[in-house]
Amino acid sequence: MCGRYAITLPPDAMAQLFAARPANALPAVPNFNVCPTTQVHVIRSGESGRNLVSMRWGFLPHWYKEETSGPLLINARAETLAEKPAFRAACRERRCLIPATGFYEWTKDTAGNRLPWYIFREDSAPIAFAGIWQSWGKDDPQETCAIVTTAANTAMSAIHHRMPLILEPDDWALWLGEEGKGAARLMEPGAEGVLDWYRVDPKVNSNRAEGEELIEPFEA
């Protein structure tokens, strides 16, 4: 699962990294507490090449009459992505990348308190989540997205049984549909030794928390 993350990379750096043309209106960075239903940075590919755009994090199937007509779909399971009615068309036709600096996950202590962890690439490179997107609404359509998740690898399973699907640069073009078919082979647990993590301050348990201190190591 991925329910909160951080992004510190400036839009021009994101555009350069992903070889994408940036849109004029993009979410502000840095953001150390990116939450569901907010606007997030997304890279998608089209006839004119790659574009860096803003989308609502929370996928809205076309049959939702209102944003709250059904469950909040911030994640999509890789194992059933091609089968679920909400996601199967997007899985075939509308895959995207969602950049991040790191993401949060939670464990619980013996008293049931939620203990947050900050998870990041061991090599300090930006993370590229695999995502899918959907344009929703007729009168004033908005573009929405979800992060694809997979079973946790051995190391991550100590924190949570799910993890976001993280793609390496060599796989970006295939996921975006630029290299034809075959993206299904990418939907596997991530390689071991790519991610690292540490405890962070419980203040990040609040979706209103802000500031760089959210991703700093915390000693209980």
Side-chain angles (χ1 to χ4, degrees), residues 36-53:
T37 74
T38 62
Q39 293 296 118
V40 299
H41 301 84
V42 173
I43 295 92
R44 67 178 175 192
S45 188
E47 293 182 0
S48 60
R50 294 180 187 175
N51 292 284
L52 173 62
V53 299

Side-chain angles (χ1 to χ4, degrees), residues 11-12 14-22 43-44 49-52:
D12 57 345
M14 279 188 246
Q16 183 175 4
L17 176 65
F18 293 98
R21 181 181 305 152
I43 295 92
R44 67 178 175 192
R50 294 180 187 175
N51 292 284
L52 173 62

Side-chain angles (χ1 to χ4, degrees), residues 45 50 91-92 95-97 130 167-187:
S45 188
R50 294 180 187 175
C91 176
R92 293 192 305 268
R95 297 188 298 273
C96 61
L97 301 171
L167 299 176
E168 298 298 326
D170 288 347
D171 296 325
W172 294 349
L174 181 58
W175 182 258
L176 290 172
E178 298 166 351
E179 294 183 350
K181 298 180 179 179
R185 70 171 178 81
L186 302 176
M187 292 192 280

Side-chain angles (χ1 to χ4, degrees), residues 119 152-160 163 190-197:
I119 303 158
N153 59 24
T154 302
M156 270 293 299
S157 63
I159 296 179
H160 199 276
M163 65 182 289
E192 304 290 344
V194 174
L195 300 175
D196 199 359
W197 49 84

Side-chain angles (χ1 to χ4, degrees), residues 49-140:
R50 294 180 187 175
N51 292 284
L52 173 62
V53 299
S54 175
M55 293 188 186
R56 175 191 188 266
W57 183 19
F59 189 97
L60 294 172
H62 66 84
W63 61 80
Y64 277 24
K65 295 186 181 299
E66 306 289 340
E67 292 182 5
T68 56
S69 292
L72 178 60
L73 304 175
I74 62 171
N75 293 157
R77 294 173 66 94
E79 297 89 339
T80 57
L81 192 61
E83 304 166 6
K84 292 286 187 181
F87 302 134
R88 60 191 178 200
C91 176
R92 293 192 305 268
E93 305 164 5
R94 295 185 299 278
R95 297 188 298 273
C96 61
L97 301 171
I98 300 172
T101 305
F103 62 99
Y104 300 99
E105 195 51 81
W106 282 261
T107 57
K108 288 185 178 181
D109 63 16
T110 55
N113 298 308
R114 299 179 75 226
L115 309 178
W117 299 78
Y118 181 64
I119 303 158
F120 54 95
R121 285 189 64 108
E122 205 171 54
D123 60 8
S124 299
I127 292 172
F129 297 138
I132 53 173
W133 67 275
Q134 167 83 33
S135 183
W136 176 83
K138 294 181 179 179
D139 298 330
D140 185 20

